[in-house]
Amino acid sequence: MLQLQSCNPRNLPSLLRRYKGDEKRSAYGSGDSAWLDVEITRQKQNAKATPRQRWIRRQLRSEFHTLALKRLLSNREETLGKLRVWKTQEKCKREQREFIEVNNLWAAQRKFLFDRSHLPQEVPEKELIEQFWAGILEMNGQVNERDPDIQSWKNEVEALLGDLEPEKRLCLDEARFRKILKKAKSRSAPGPDDIVNFWWKVFPEAGHALRLMTEEMLNAAIPFPDWLVTGRTILIPKKGEAKDPGNYRPIACLNTQYKFATAVLADSLEAHVEANDLLPQEQRALRKGARGCVDCLAVDKMVITHARFKGLRTLSVGWIDFEKAYDRVPHKWVTSVLDTVRAPRWVRTIVGHLQPMWQTVMRVRSAKRTVRTRPILYKRGLFQEDALSPLLFCLAILPLSHTLKKLNGYKIRRSTVKGSICTWMT
């Protein structure tokens, strides 16, 4: 139900005003306060009106001058639309007021914006943080590409793609540039450059320069500078010992120019993957029109319900969880996967150039100080918090999906379908 807590009654119809003392009711709400729903339900059931329903009918007739079912349904949708518009307007006004309050607070008392009372009193030393994360990121990862399952997956992909010729050069026109830039959040946390996407959107000349620079860098006409590929990682404390660097959740903040370049890479790579149907149907992440976890939970619920209905007692569910999944993907394996799926040639070239350059500076704040580490190189793992890393990870685990598909999963037999349906998820 939409809450009408700070509403000005003059701006809403009489049915949306509060009534019955302190109770906040509306013409479309929940329970006995939903006048329109009460009358519509009564008419559909062709039930006799109670005293309260007769009173509601009088109120509705006074407001809408008719009690016809079609008109009531139309009025309900119109009322809902007005409520949605009003809610959006109130949200914008609230955000504007908060923005003004923060600006006034900044001018009046800046120290309140830097309150450290919620931060831990003690944090790990710089050397411990560097040792912990260097042990994860600065270790060269290895993959046994001679594994039979990997070779089987590569052979299947080769047969699927045939004589496909990959795209050799990027063409970033204005329409595609605006489409990708529009998806970027205007006020997301920036990287070391401290430039938010808002400025690229509102200044046309800056956006035009960003498009030309990105196109030249992705076509290898000019190299990526080191500062552009350097991120800033904020360590957020979790439950546990505050001095243990493993009890912190890393949140990466990357330069917006770099994130836009990787968004263009991801857009081209995703189009190639979808056009050639390289992701298995069971892979629900990164699919347009799919709800990811919701789809997987629905399948899981269906299997459990079916097993209970059939009286089965031997149903087992296995969950595969990767520890530091993104941080342990070998760079050589990413290159090998992109070669196998025949990604656009310029995509493979740029990813190969970027992987040795990835580095980040870890930072953690306490109530007394801020600890910063040296730049830590990514000798393995994926640079997170951009549009490219989730797609690269999904491609990297394709052999695992291929292997799971060979297993005998849960089978659902239907009278209208010959054979059986094997259901599994990744």
Side-chain angles (χ1 to χ4, degrees):
M1 177 181 175
L2 298 176
Q3 300 293 332
L4 307 179
Q5 297 180 354
S6 59
C7 170
N8 182 0
R10 297 179 181 178
N11 297 334
L12 294 172
S14 60
L15 283 179
L16 305 183
R17 299 175 186 170
R18 299 176 184 177
Y19 71 102
K20 282 196 173 183
D22 294 333
E23 293 181 347
K24 301 169 181 63
R25 305 290 180 93
S26 68
Y28 182 73
S30 61
D32 59 354
S33 65
W35 299 350
L36 287 168
D37 275 349
V38 168
E39 178 60 20
I40 290 172
T41 303
R42 190 198 66 80
Q43 291 192 24
K44 288 183 177 180
Q45 295 177 352
N46 196 22
K48 185 178 179 180
T50 64
R52 173 170 174 78
Q53 289 174 346
R54 287 196 295 269
W55 179 82
I56 290 176
R57 284 168 59 86
R58 290 196 296 270
Q59 301 299 321
L60 293 175
R61 191 188 300 276
S62 174
E63 180 69 24
F64 301 120
H65 309 292
T66 181
L67 293 178
L69 182 58
K70 291 184 179 180
R71 181 65 185 276
L72 291 179
L73 290 171
S74 175
N75 288 332
R76 182 177 64 175
E77 295 302 319
E78 182 180 356
T79 303
L80 276 174
K82 291 179 180 179
L83 283 171
R84 293 189 189 102
V85 171
W86 172 82
K87 185 179 179 181
T88 303
Q89 292 175 348
E90 287 297 310
K91 180 180 177 181
C92 294
K93 292 179 182 178
R94 183 175 65 254
E95 291 178 350
Q96 183 66 20
R97 287 194 299 268
E98 292 175 354
F99 182 76
I100 295 174
E101 290 174 0
V102 170
N103 281 349
N104 294 337
L105 182 60
W106 174 263
Q109 206 56 275
R110 296 188 179 186
K111 66 179 181 180
F112 290 149
L113 296 178
F114 299 97
D115 183 19
R116 291 174 175 246
S117 59
H118 64 285
L119 298 176
Q121 296 296 321
E122 299 292 339
V123 293
E125 296 296 331
K126 172 184 175 181
E127 293 74 14
L128 289 177
I129 299 175
E130 292 178 354
Q131 180 181 0
F132 177 80
W133 287 102
I136 296 176
L137 299 177
E138 293 189 345
M139 300 290 291
N140 292 319
Q142 297 180 356
V143 174
N144 181 17
E145 298 193 30
R146 296 181 180 179
D147 185 271
D149 291 325
I150 293 180
Q151 291 297 326
S152 174
W153 169 72
K154 287 188 175 183
N155 294 335
E156 182 178 315
V157 175
E158 288 290 338
L160 175 65
L161 297 178
D163 298 330
L164 177 68
E165 286 293 332
E167 182 184 2
K168 296 181 180 180
R169 184 176 176 83
L170 167 68
C171 181
L172 185 60
D173 55 26
E174 187 68 23
R176 186 180 181 186
F177 165 76
R178 290 296 170 187
K179 179 182 177 182
I180 297 175
L181 185 61
K182 186 178 180 180
K183 295 180 181 178
K185 295 181 179 179
S186 298
R187 298 290 182 180
S188 61
D193 61 358
D194 291 326
I195 301 176
V196 295
N197 290 315
F198 173 80
W199 303 114
W200 301 115
K201 294 181 179 182
V202 298
F203 292 118
E205 293 299 328
H208 179 70
L210 176 64
R211 180 178 70 84
L212 295 179
M213 179 182 64
T214 303
E215 187 174 8
E216 290 185 0
M217 286 192 299
L218 294 181
N219 285 319
I222 57 176
F224 278 80
D226 291 337
W227 66 267
L228 188 62
V229 195
T230 300
R232 176 173 58 196
T233 301
I234 309 299
L235 299 178
I236 307 298
K238 299 187 293 186
K239 294 181 180 180
E241 177 60 37
K243 290 187 177 182
D244 183 3
N247 287 331
Y248 287 80
R249 179 181 294 105
I251 304 297
C253 299
L254 307 180
N255 295 315
T256 53
Q257 300 174 64
Y258 172 82
K259 288 197 290 187
F260 178 77
T262 55
V264 177
L265 281 169
D267 184 69
S268 298
L269 184 56
E270 184 179 3
H272 172 77
V273 169
E274 290 184 355
N276 296 282
D277 196 21
L278 295 174
L279 285 179
Q281 183 65 28
E282 294 79 11
Q283 177 65 49
R284 305 310 300 161
L286 301 179
R287 283 189 174 275
K288 293 182 179 179
R291 294 182 178 270
C293 290
V294 176
D295 289 356
C296 292
L297 290 173
V299 174
D300 183 64
K301 180 68 174 178
M302 177 192 67
V303 170
I304 293 176
T305 303
H306 184 267
R308 287 180 176 177
F309 178 76
K310 293 294 185 181
L312 302 179
R313 297 179 178 272
T314 58
L315 178 64
S316 301
V317 179
W319 301 91
I320 300 176
D321 188 16
F322 298 95
E323 181 184 5
K324 301 290 183 183
Y326 277 58
D327 299 328
R328 299 183 185 275
V329 179
H331 289 177
K332 290 184 178 180
W333 175 242
V334 173
T335 303
S336 176
V337 169
L338 293 178
D339 290 338
T340 302
V341 301
R342 298 187 193 176
R345 189 166 301 173
W346 63 272
V347 171
R348 286 181 275 172
T349 301
I350 295 302
V351 172
H353 288 168
L354 289 177
Q355 287 182 129
M357 300 175 63
W358 288 341
Q359 58 182 356
T360 186
V361 176
M362 303 286 179
R363 190 177 77 174
V364 58
R365 296 175 62 198
S366 70
K368 301 177 182 178
R369 58 177 180 148
T370 299
V371 178
R372 293 181 178 86
T373 68
R374 63 171 175 83
I376 298 177
L377 292 174
Y378 276 72
K379 293 185 178 180
R380 68 173 178 178
L382 301 173
F383 224 5
Q384 299 183 42
E385 299 302 327
D386 64 347
L388 182 61
S389 55
L391 182 56
L392 290 180
F393 181 78
C394 287
L395 292 177
I397 64 173
L398 281 180
L400 176 61
S401 301
H402 175 76
T403 303
L404 289 174
K405 205 168 186 178
K406 297 179 181 179
L407 302 178
N408 293 325
Y410 188 83
K411 297 182 179 181
I412 301 176
R413 299 184 182 276
R414 298 181 181 179
S415 58
T416 58
V417 180
K418 295 181 179 180
S420 59
I421 302 174
C422 180
T423 305
W424 61 278
M425 303 172 292
T426 59

